[in-house]
Amino acid sequence: MTQHRDLIEAIVGQPASDGDGVRLTRVFGGRDAARFDPFLMLDEFNSDSADDYIGGFPSHPHRGFETVTYMLEGRMLHEDHLGNRGLLGPGDVQWMTAGRGIIHSEMPQQDRGTMRGFQLWLNLPAADKMQPAHYRDLPASALPEQALAGGGQLKLIAGRIEHNGQSVTAPISGGKTAPLYIDVQLNANEHVSLPIPTTHRLLAYIYEGSVAVQGEQRTAVLEKGRLGRFGEGDRVSLQAGSAGARLLLLAGRPLGEPIVQYGPFVMNSEAEIHQAIRDYQLGRLTD
């Protein structure tokens, strides 16, 4: 029997600054991490003023999780200690697994125009936190899209989805958290109902327009700039407002493990965090 998920919490992102003074919106992250498990953080950056982004994110370390950078507008160069270089443009994605440790930078390749996109942090299970670091650059052309009956579309960044008799799988799929990451575009008043595994936690971030969430118990509206956290069920039912909507749909299987974070390190215990700090200070984070 189908159960549509109810919206149980709406969260407003907060202005923040990171890297070398990059202004952004921290949609969630850093507090009450278990509520969002397996996701750790979501940042939105969106500015047409170079002063807000030109400093970029000079070389910095990570250990114990994955970052997913999704560009909507602008150009950003990623480089790391392994010698990898990747230029992200509109619609491109970089999926980086920090694992044991990586030192990388993310620097704008423009001094004017709009820089817009998202960075999502996804936790790794304890058994995978110390794996070798690696990453994949995914051009926009590698991300499958599915047209909706009302004229909107789904762009699949991670996972697999079945809709209207069609099955679509992204280049990144599987793993213990089996993440589902979809950029959903809906026209005015368009409705979509999508299957979501009952094992997964579900979040939705509205970055244009608004949507009405039609759950089992009630209908609730999510406005632009709000993150929705959902209850249990096997489907999510969304209807765009009169201006249409664009949103990120994020679902993943919770790890249920302790989460201990210190800045760019996310481990399972204080002792592991202290070890990460020592390793970084001694130049052996990436050994």
Side-chain angles (χ1 to χ4, degrees), residues 28 39 41-42 120 179-182 196 200-205 227-228 230 248-252:
F28 70 89
F39 304 107
M41 188 186 80
L42 177 65
L120 175 70
L180 182 64
Y181 187 168
I182 310 174
I196 303 294
H200 283 36
R201 174 161 283 131
L202 177 64
L203 308 172
Y205 180 63
L227 176 87
F230 292 76
L248 302 182
L249 206 60
L250 307 169

Side-chain angles (χ1 to χ4, degrees), residues 243-262:
R246 291 195 69 179
L247 62 136
L248 302 182
L249 206 60
L250 307 169
R253 184 184 296 116
L255 292 170
E257 299 177 351
I259 301 170
V260 182
Q261 179 176 352
Y262 180 80

Side-chain angles (χ1 to χ4, degrees), residues 17-259:
S17 177
D18 211 334
D20 188 12
V22 176
R23 295 185 180 180
L24 49 83
T25 298
R26 181 138 296 158
V27 179
F28 70 89
R31 298 178 58 188
D32 300 324
R35 287 162 57 210
F36 308 103
D37 181 16
F39 304 107
L40 298 165
M41 188 186 80
L42 177 65
D43 283 346
E44 177 183 21
F45 48 94
N46 182 9
S47 179
D48 57 9
S49 172
D51 290 344
D52 290 343
Y53 60 74
I54 198 65
F57 303 88
S59 291
H60 56 282
H62 290 301
R63 174 179 280 183
F65 61 100
E66 299 181 290
T67 68
V68 185
T69 304
Y70 174 36
M71 297 293 293
L72 295 179
E73 298 180 65
R75 297 165 70 244
M76 186 86 75
L77 178 68
H78 291 241
E79 297 183 279
D80 64 34
H81 77 282
L82 299 170
N84 297 311
R85 300 177 85 248
L87 180 62
L88 297 185
D92 295 344
V93 169
Q94 185 192 69
W95 196 290
M96 186 192 74
T97 302
R100 174 179 174 80
I102 198 166
I103 298 173
H104 76 146
S105 63
E106 302 152 283
M107 301 302 294
Q109 299 300 291
Q110 60 189 60
D111 57 12
R112 61 180 59 86
T114 300
M115 183 73 70
R116 186 184 189 197
F118 304 92
Q119 187 168 94
L120 175 70
W121 288 16
L122 173 65
N123 205 4
L124 284 169
D128 295 336
K129 283 186 177 292
M130 298 298 280
Q131 66 179 287
H134 60 278
Y135 80 96
R136 291 181 65 180
D137 278 340
L138 303 171
S141 59
L143 304 176
E145 298 179 355
Q146 185 179 44
L148 299 175
Q153 74 169 22
L154 309 177
K155 177 185 286 187
L156 195 59
I157 296 169
R160 177 177 177 272
I161 192 165
E162 293 187 7
H163 182 62
N164 285 345
Q166 293 183 314
S167 177
V168 180
T169 302
I172 302 288
S173 62
K176 189 167 184 180
T177 59
L180 182 64
Y181 187 168
I182 310 174
D183 183 0
V184 181
Q185 180 176 345
L186 300 175
N187 289 331
N189 304 311
E190 184 175 5
H191 173 263
V192 66
S193 175
L194 299 173
I196 303 294
T198 57
T199 54
H200 283 36
R201 174 161 283 131
L202 177 64
L203 308 172
Y205 180 63
I206 316 302
Y207 66 94
E208 290 182 11
S210 65
V211 297
V213 179
Q214 300 167 340
E216 289 296 311
Q217 303 298 322
R218 65 190 183 102
T219 295
V221 175
L222 270 178
E223 303 284 354
K224 177 182 176 180
R226 266 62 172 179
L227 176 87
R229 190 166 67 89
F230 292 76
E232 296 179 350
D234 60 2
R235 296 192 75 86
V236 61
S237 180
L238 306 170
Q239 181 165 352
S242 59
R246 291 195 69 179
L247 62 136
L248 302 182
L249 206 60
L250 307 169
R253 184 184 296 116
L255 292 170
E257 299 177 351
I259 301 170

